[in-house]
Structures are given as structure tokens and as C-alpha cells.
Amino acid sequence: KLFQGFMFNLKLGYGF
Amino acid sequence: VNSYFGIGIGGMVPLAPEIEMAPGLNLFGIYDTQSILFGIDCNLWGMSSDSRYSYADFGISAYYAFGRKFIAPYIGGGLSFSAVDYETEVSYVAEREYYDYDIQGYRTSEETEYNTYVDDKSGIGAFIGGGVMLNRASSIILLAEVKYFVSFFKLAEPKGTVTYEQW
């Protein structure tokens, strides 16, 4: 089986 | 406002070769064209002390953003280059020689020993996923994101026990 799975992420960004 | 840069906290849950939660950090940039979001990401997963995985990737992506409001769901995907170290514990039976004072000579004994085997692989992979952007087009935004990834390489299956010669 290929290396696989799920990722989850909470991101905080600065917009300009 | 149409560009964003920031950091993230998250992780990966690989389904193969072993299911494990590998948390870590993310760095990202997004360019917002109203309907499409273009992204670059750097993910560093498996930073916890108990993680068997140690993972880093760099990816580029495109997402379709629904609506133009301050809360914007988005779906899409991309490609990434990743490098991963995967540790498994391997046991093997080793012959050990020791000095026996009772017989004033050396004897051998067979002992099960444990060691860590590291499989390191790298290559490209693809991912699809989506999320929600909060406070879009403002100076501070928050994104919650989930994706499914497939790397185009395999990691060694955990072996458990091998012979001394194999080790």
C-alpha cells in the first residue's frame, strides 16, 4: 500500500 | 486584501503502513483571486516525542472557494514533494557470550534483542481536500482544513521479528 492518510490543520493567517 | 501568510497547527493520520496520529506545524501562503485560492504549504508532521513518523513536505495547491463572504468553504487539491522517516521496532534473537564463574569458562546464550529500524523515503504525492476560511479578505484570517493524501512511494511494513542475519 502506498503511503497515504489524512491531514488536518488549523491555520492563522495575516492578510495584506 | 488578497494575499495571506501564516502558521498552522495540525497533523497527519497515515493509514499505511501503520495508523498513528503524527502532530506538527505548518507554514502557508495563499493568493485569493475571489473564486480560486492558490496555495503553498510546508507541513512538518510527527514532531511529538512519541511519533514513529517524521514527515516534511512542500506543496502547491488550488481550491475553489464558494461565495465571496467572510465565511468561505473551499475544496480542491494539489501536489507535494515529501520526505518521511518511519521507525519500527524490530526484535531478533542474538547469540551472546558471557563468562560463567561456576565453570570458569565462556557460555553462549540466546537473547531476544530489540532495535529501531528506520525507513526513509521521499517523493511526490497528491492530495485533495477542503476547508473553511473565516474572516476572508481581512487582515487576520482563520482556516480549518482537512485533506486526503497519497504519496507515490511505499514505506516498509512493520516486521516485528527478523532473524539475526536479516538484522
Side-chain angles (χ1 to χ4, degrees), chain B residues 55-72:
Chain B
Y55 175 97
D57 77 11
F58 181 82
I60 56 176
S61 54
Y63 297 93
Y64 178 79
F66 297 92
R68 296 184 178 186
K69 302 208 169 136
F70 289 105
I71 298 177

Side-chain angles (χ1 to χ4, degrees), chain B residues 61-91:
Chain B
S61 54
Y63 297 93
Y64 178 79
F66 297 92
R68 296 184 178 186
K69 302 208 169 136
F70 289 105
I71 298 177
Y74 57 92
I75 56 167
L79 289 174
S80 64
F81 183 86
S82 60
V84 56
D85 279 14
Y86 173 54
E87 291 183 359
T88 57
E89 193 175 66
V90 177
S91 69

Side-chain angles (χ1 to χ4, degrees), chain B residues 30-39 61-65 75 136:
Chain B
I30 292 173
Y31 186 73
D32 187 345
T33 70
Q34 299 288 323
S35 55
I36 305 290
L37 309 173
F38 295 103
S61 54
Y63 297 93
Y64 178 79
I75 56 167
R136 187 180 187 185

